[in-house]
Amino acid sequence: MAQTVAVIVGSLRKESFTLKIANALAKLAPPSLKLEIVTLHGLSFFNQDLEANPPADWVSFREKIQASDAVLFVTPEYNRSIPGVLKNAIDVGSRPSGQSSFKTKPIGIVANSPGPLGGVCAAMNLKQILPGYCGPILQQPEIYLNGVGDAFDDKGNLTKEALQKVLKQYIDAYAAHVERHRAVG
Ligand SMILES: Cc1cc2nc3c(=O)[nH]c(=O)nc-3n(C[C@H](O)[C@H](O)[C@H](O)COP(=O)(O)O)c2cc1C
């Protein structure tokens, strides 16, 4: 049976390149993976005062992550880091302490930018903050997609061949990573 992957999209923008990349990955994924796009609209701010009685949107986000076999972060770069909405989602998902929803989930990181550096700092930031409460992070290949601004047609389909090729290579490597760390039972 296909392993389900929660694809967490780090941008709320309607015409987000990040969302389009997530959709492209879902199409390129091999049959062993089923990618489910998770957007962060409506996820309220983490507030430790609410931990004892968490809001419904936190519970539903955590349940989505827990129900998946693996997690793939697809993110743009904001000010040489990840967008606040994504950090908030990680904070929400990582709690309660010791019960992270990301625990044991094999992780992938796909960064992008319309600029020349491909969101490398955002990816590096994720690699810095995730290890304490998630499963194994795919280290190689790394993927930093630059120049994504002209990669899609007006329907949001990925048309840039070079990008298609690296995304396919990445999602196949990620599928192997998920398989290697498949939960037993
Ligand atoms: C607050 C803010 C900060 C940004 N900082 C960076 C940055 O550090 N590096 C970069 O390559 N692009 C940066 N950008 C440009 C984004 O890469 C660009 O807006 C991109 O389209 C956002 O991703 P999206 O299309 O998925 O919404 C920034 C954009 C915003 C709004």
Side-chain angles (χ1 to χ4, degrees), residues 1-8 32-38 59-73 93 100-108 133-136 174 178-179 181-185:
M1 211 169 71
Q3 299 278 288
T4 56
V5 180
V7 183
I8 302 182
S32 64
L33 292 186
K34 183 164 181 277
L35 271 58
E36 287 164 1
I37 307 293
V38 179
V59 174
S60 127
F61 177 73
R62 288 169 178 166
E63 285 174 353
K64 246 183 247 173
I65 303 303
Q66 287 160 19
S68 64
D69 297 299
V71 176
L72 181 58
F73 292 93
S100 164
S101 300
F102 303 110
K103 209 167 154 181
T104 75
K105 310 287 180 198
I107 302 292
Y133 40 84
C134 72
Y174 177 67
V178 171
E179 187 56 38
H181 299 284
R182 183 194 263 267
V184 183

Side-chain angles (χ1 to χ4, degrees), residues 11 13 15-19 76-81 112-115 119:
S11 169
R13 202 166 72 83
E15 290 298 325
S16 162
F17 300 126
T18 306
L19 177 61
E77 180 174 290
Y78 274 11
N79 297 319
R80 299 288 177 257
S81 184
N112 78 91
S113 172

Side-chain angles (χ1 to χ4, degrees), residues 24-99:
L25 283 163
K27 285 187 195 147
L28 292 167
S32 64
L33 292 186
K34 183 164 181 277
L35 271 58
E36 287 164 1
I37 307 293
V38 179
T39 58
L40 302 174
H41 304 86
L43 185 64
S44 54
F45 277 138
F46 181 76
N47 175 348
Q48 216 171 341
D49 289 339
L50 307 180
E51 283 211 282
N53 190 14
D57 60 274
W58 295 6
V59 174
S60 127
F61 177 73
R62 288 169 178 166
E63 285 174 353
K64 246 183 247 173
I65 303 303
Q66 287 160 19
S68 64
D69 297 299
V71 176
L72 181 58
F73 292 93
V74 186
T75 186
E77 180 174 290
Y78 274 11
N79 297 319
R80 299 288 177 257
S81 184
I82 58 171
V85 286
L86 181 54
K87 179 61 166 61
N88 184 57
I90 291 169
D91 291 342
V92 169
S94 69
R95 301 290 291 190
S97 180
Q99 296 170 51

